Each structure stands twice: as C-alpha cells, then as structure tokens.
Amino acid sequence: MNKIRVYELAKLLGKSNAELVALLKDLGVEVKSHMSSIDMETAALVENALKQEGNAKTEVASAAPAPENEEKKAPARIEIDPRATVGDIAKKLGKAPADVVKILIEEGFMVPANSVPTEDILTVLSIAFDVEIVYADDSKGSAEPEKAGEKPDSGKKGKSDKKAEPEVKVARHVAEVSAPDAKPRPPIVTVMGHVDHGKTTLLDFIRKTRVTEGEAGGITQHIGAYKVNYNGNEIVFLDTPGHEAFTAMRARGAGVTDIAILVVAADDGVKPQTLEAMNHAKAAGVPIIVAVNKIDKPDAKPERVRQQLSDYGLAPEEWGGDTVMVDVAAKPGTGIDQLLEMVLLVAEMAELKASDSVPAEGIVVEANLDKGKGPVATIIVQQGTLRRGMIIVTQTSWGKIRAMLDDTGKPVDSAGPSTPVEILGLENVPIPGEVFHIAATEREARDAVGDAAKRDTEGPKSRGKLTLEELYDQMQSEDIPQLNVVLKCDVQGSLEAFHSTLMKMSTDEVRINIVHEGVGRISESDVTLASVSNAIIIGFNVRPDANAKKLSESENVQIRLYRVIYDMQEDVKAALEGMLAPTLRENIVGQAEIRAIFKVPKIGRIAGCFVQEGSIRRNTKVRVVREGVVIWDGSLSSLRHFKEEVREIAAGNECGLSFSGFQDFREGDVVEAYEILSEKKTLDI
C-alpha cells in the first residue's frame, strides 16, 4: 500500500506540520510526529475532513495548497514557571511524572523528571496532551532587565537605582511564547561528530553555496557563526563549538543551539567521539539530525551506520524511529538540499519564535583580544534587537558597543533574533557561553559585573554536585530517583562488563542512567558533561588527567576509581539503597489510663494516670483515645511522678501528664505513647 509522510501531506494541503498532526489526532489517527507515515486512505480522509470545513479546495494529487485559515478550538492553556521541571509540568497536566517521561522517551528525549524542559520538549508535551504550555507573565525575570533597554531620559524612575542582575537567564522561551509580537526566527544549528568525518567540509559547502541572498559568493567567514539561505529561509550555523565547547556553554546556562547535526562517515562508522557528541546533544535535550557523510566513497556503508546508531538509541525514521538521517556527500554536495530541508522541517515543528521589541538578550559564542581592536566578542542575539551604542553586560564584562560586524565583515547598526554579530567596545574579554543583556547606564553595568565577581569570589563552590554519599538528600524531590553516571574504562571488554552490571542494578524504585561511556582516560570533557548532567564519574583502571582532576575539584564533580568490579557494585548498591525513601513504622511505647483530673493554678488541668503497659516517656509522641477513637495527637508538656519531673514512668506506676495545647480530656480516656521508626530499604540485586 502506498504511503505518504505527514510533512509531505502538510505541504500538499498547505498546512503546517503542527496543524496536520493535531487534525490527525482529532480524526483518531495516532501519529508520533511529522515524520510518521500514513496510508493514502488516511490521507484521503484528512482531505475530506478539510473539504467539509471548507478549507481544502483541491485533491491531494493536484498538489494545490489548501487555505491556512482553518478554525480550530483553542487548546487548554497551562502557565508554568521558567524554572519548572518536567515533573512540575506533569503535575499541572494531572499526569504521573513517569508517564510524561515515558512519552518523551518515545519521542527521543532521554530526560529525567527533575530536568528543566527545552522548547522542543514543551512542543512535544503540548501536542501530546493537546494543551498550550506557556510561561507565566510574571516570570519573565526581574524588572531591571526589561527596563534596561529603555533610554535614561524615558521618564521612568523609581527603580533606576537598583543594580542590574548579571545572572539573568536568557528567557528565550518566555519571549517566544508570551510576547504578543513574537515572530518565527531562524534555527541555530551546531554541527558535531568525530574528527575527519567531514564536519568542516560540510560547513564549507553549505556556506559557499547558500550564503544569504545579496552577498557575493565565496566570502570568507569572519566569525564563528553565520547565516545561510535555503529557499528563502535563513539558517544560522555555529562553526566554533565542538562537543566539548557545546557542553561548556550549556554548563553556563547557555542553551543557544536549537538543532544538532551529527556527522558520521559512511566509510568509517560510529567512533568514540561520535558517541561522545551524541551523548552531549542528548544531555542538552537538542533534536539530532544525522548526516551520513561520504556516501560517494567505494567502501561506504550507510546502512551499517544506521544500524550502529540504532544500537545507541538513535533509530532512523525510515525504520520506524524518530531520528532524521540524511545521506550526503559533502565534497560534491550530494544530499545537502535534503539535509537543509530536514533542518527547516525540524525547526518548523519546534515553532521557534522570538520578539524583536523586547530588551535584547543572547549568548557569547566566542571572544578574544585583538591587538588592533581590543576585546572582541562574537554573540548571537536570541531575543530583542541589539543596536550600536547600547551598553551590553555579561557576567564578567561590560561595554558600550562601538561597532557591530555581521558574518561577512560588513558593519551593521542593528541585529535581531538569531543574528550572529561581532561586537567591539567591551572593557575586557568575556567568557564564551555567558549570557548578555542590556543595561541602561554604564554605572549600572559596572555594578552588575562587580556584584557577579564578588559572588564568584565569596562562593565559587556554592553549587553542589552529586556524590554517592549525598544521593539520598539530592533525590528526595524526585518521583523516581535516578543516578546519572559517566563511565570510563581501560578496554572495551571492561566497559561492556561495567555497563551490564550497572544496568542490572536498576529497579522499578530507583534507576541508573549512563549519560556517557567510553574507553580511555577521564578527560575535561567527561568532567564538564558530568557537571552539567549532575552525574558522578566511575572509572575502571583509568585515571583523570591533570586538567580533568583540577576541573572536577572546581566543579565539585565526584570521580570514583576502581580496580575491582565488585567494589564498584557494592558502592553503587549502597548509594541506590540510600536513594530509596525509608519505610516509616509506628512503634507503641506504652499505654496509660486517665483515672483522675487535677486543676493546678497557672498550669491548667493535669491528667492523673496509671501506666498499664510499657512506659510513658517524656520525649515520645502521644495520642488521647476515647472509646476507640483518637481525639487528639501531639506531645507532652510535662511528665511527673508526684511532684518530681521525670523522663520516664514504667508500667505499674502512677504519673501526672499535661499535654501541649490540649486539656479536653476525661476520666477513662486512654493515653498511648508512640514513636515513628525509620527503616532503611534494601535492594535485592
């Protein structure tokens, strides 16, 4: 039976992918995404549904676009905080966090319930539960960044004496969703992969053949980010970040990349650096498009590459998976058009939007000290419009923009969302990955940088990282506790044994997630990934190099080194058991009967009791029971034997009891003393 993909049908009908996916679900047709295939009978059903609503005017076969003004019932609106986790959103949706995580895993997002979702994850959840997930209006950040873009003579006062907050996260998602004038913006793409697999060749071909319309071909790239044009649509490529820089930027809160292209050579297959790049992209929650390169080589085996990647969780969509894979040959340019089309398709489903009217914010991509120009920084604007003359602030630097250059070296006066520019005028060189925003005055900018430096000096290690000893405290807020691990071993055989052992230790109550695994020494990249993923590093017969050890100390990342696999197994088992919530059990300590009631001035009523069983202790909890019904539960304020205050009264003795905040007791009531015992759970592994 002939089939057609959802995105192809959307093109024929002149509909957006999101609209068609929603329509299919309304018709009872279950599709995972725009890459899913449907048969022609279902396509005809969709066409008829559109005709009945008066929106489709031609048949699918005629390829005539249908009107885009289909009226649809507005989905339910859910407001969330920008810091809300997947688990928080699940509660808003009235779903169990495990169910939401399961849906995300099916869509290719390996994220725990305690992670903050990316825009792509929010889109998936919106479609899956037929809701509109937006950020609350009052959670856009402090008032200072919003007013920072105003001119000093705007006449607005009252808060002008407050200091700008240098650590304001780039509220890209907030601007995209809540700004009334938000418009689609170009996607920002990072190309990653193993060395010599053709990343640079691919970027060079794209840059030389797809430069923005109106520019001369073959222009030398001036900065580490540039725009290309494909069929009238712009795409921004980041040329600077390898997977290590990619994760280092994310470690500073810079979620700049929208899509990652993973380049794999068809004649070489999946290599350790390929897996490392893939795991870094997965940990960032960034959609991955695989470019199977060098298919023009005689020994190219693209199907073998697909098989290898599917073994590591990237199943190609033509095999029923969710990962877009495109065969390309970078040198002659074979398949490049299809690759760019897939990038635009994934970007369309993500519904990337930004406002150019809000205060400008963005990310520092790279920075250096030029002998002639001074401090120079390449930045990407994520929202708002950056203009020459504005005062820009990062965590470590500030300055008034004296000049801006685009990716071809031409001077520009302004830059909107998803625009890379090189800026001059900073006081010193910022750190790549830092977030920038606009300040109203130079004094405000100077104070903001000074406050950030002071915080770094006073508490450089204030951000706690996970250790095996602290797992229980770290995981109390999670529904399903999870231990993230970066695993490094000396040889492949050891790696497979450790991987198998760790996976077998996961249970329904607690699980292990291997963020990354590989053979060889523990590197800075491993430490950075562990820092971002809140993971520990487990090494077998390997050691961290000097830089990795130094970085692990500064980032508070725990490295556990072993030479015997059973030692690792015992340590991890103990840690996992610590992550389990203990069993709470009530233990009855003693029981007494109230036989007389005395009134004492300034104290109130005292219960004269006879201890029948066990003992009554001063520091235990007590409850008063009347005819089998508990009428009060609390603690003792006084325990006396005659006139003497005591700690404990054993069975067979009389005592006087007074209760904290309770005096409505009667003769014949029973007093039970009890304690809550916490019993540690164990795992049968």
Side-chain angles (χ1 to χ4, degrees), residues 282-539:
K282 278 186 174 181
V286 175
I288 298 174
I289 296 176
V290 178
V292 183
N293 194 21
K294 302 184 180 181
I295 60 169
D296 54 335
K297 293 291 187 69
D299 53 347
K301 297 178 181 178
E303 293 304 310
R304 182 171 69 93
V305 172
R306 284 172 167 77
Q307 182 61 57
Q308 290 176 326
L309 290 173
S310 65
D311 292 340
Y312 289 101
L314 289 184
E317 45 89 16
E318 58 263 37
W319 293 4
D322 300 317
T323 305
V324 177
M325 297 190 185
V326 182
D327 291 338
V328 300
K331 284 188 176 180
T334 306
I336 300 299
D337 284 347
Q338 185 183 0
L339 178 64
L340 295 178
E341 184 177 343
M342 290 298 104
V343 169
L344 293 174
L345 183 63
V346 173
E348 180 189 341
M349 290 304 296
E351 296 183 350
L352 304 174
K353 293 182 180 180
S355 170
D356 56 7
S357 63
V358 299
E361 291 182 346
I363 301 294
V364 177
V365 176
E366 61 182 20
N368 64 282
L369 183 62
D370 187 277
K371 289 184 179 180
K373 300 177 181 177
V376 177
T378 298
I379 63 174
I380 287 188
V381 181
Q382 291 188 302
Q383 65 174 357
T385 300
L386 189 67
R387 294 183 174 86
R388 187 164 58 88
M390 283 184 169
I391 300 171
I392 189 172
V393 183
T394 73
Q395 281 89 332
T396 60
S397 180
W398 72 276
K400 186 174 183 179
I401 301 177
R402 292 189 287 106
M404 288 197 302
L405 307 175
D406 65 11
D407 54 333
T408 65
K410 295 179 180 178
V412 293
D413 292 327
S414 63
S418 293
T419 300
V421 289
E422 186 179 80
I423 62 170
L424 284 67
L426 295 172
E427 294 294 311
N428 54 285
V429 180
I431 300 173
E434 288 187 337
V435 176
F436 77 79
H437 65 277
I438 304 302
T441 64
E442 293 187 4
R443 179 178 179 180
E444 181 181 315
R446 194 182 301 111
D447 290 345
V449 175
D451 289 346
K454 183 178 179 181
R455 279 194 296 271
D456 291 341
T457 302
E458 293 176 348
K461 294 186 179 181
S462 60
R463 179 179 54 168
K465 287 293 184 293
L466 198 64
T467 65
L468 284 178
E469 293 78 13
E470 298 170 348
L471 278 173
Y472 177 71
D473 293 333
Q474 294 281 338
M475 295 296 178
Q476 283 300 289
S477 61
E478 284 198 39
D479 297 290
I480 303 178
Q482 176 172 284
L483 169 62
N484 292 329
V485 173
V486 172
L487 177 62
K488 298 300 288 285
C489 297
D490 54 347
V491 294
Q492 187 65 32
S494 300
L495 184 66
E496 293 174 357
F498 266 69
H499 178 98
S500 176
T501 300
L502 286 171
M503 288 297 96
K504 289 178 181 177
M505 297 177 74
S506 292
T507 69
D508 293 337
E509 295 178 289
V510 61
R511 62 170 176 255
I512 293 178
N513 175 36
I514 298 180
V515 177
H516 172 64
E517 61 183 22
V519 174
R521 62 179 174 80
I522 298 171
S523 65
E524 286 182 87
S525 173
D526 299 321
V527 177
T528 303
L529 180 58
S531 174
V532 175
S533 305
N534 201 24
I536 66 168
I537 298 176
I538 292 179

Side-chain angles (χ1 to χ4, degrees), residues 233-294:
N233 298 289
E234 290 183 331
I235 304 173
V236 178
F237 281 91
L238 293 184
D239 198 15
T240 329
H243 60 273
E244 294 182 11
F246 178 88
T247 302
M249 292 176 71
R250 191 166 58 86
R252 300 185 185 100
V256 63
T257 303
D258 300 312
I259 300 170
I261 295 180
L262 182 64
V263 180
V264 188
D267 62 340
D268 200 16
V270 175
K271 293 295 181 181
Q273 201 172 356
T274 307
L275 297 177
E276 198 167 352
M278 179 187 73
N279 290 331
H280 281 244
K282 278 186 174 181
V286 175
I288 298 174
I289 296 176
V290 178
V292 183
N293 194 21
K294 302 184 180 181

Side-chain angles (χ1 to χ4, degrees), residues 159-203:
K159 293 187 179 180
S160 59
D161 58 332
K162 286 194 177 181
K163 298 177 181 179
E165 175 56 62
E167 293 186 344
V168 174
K169 298 287 184 181
V170 175
R172 184 178 70 198
H173 300 151
V174 177
E176 290 172 355
V177 175
S178 61
D181 60 344
K183 296 177 291 188
R185 63 169 178 82
I188 302 173
V189 180
T190 297
V191 179
M192 309 167 72
H194 189 69
V195 65
D196 294 332
H197 275 202
K199 301 188 299 294
T200 304
T201 305
L202 177 66
L203 283 168

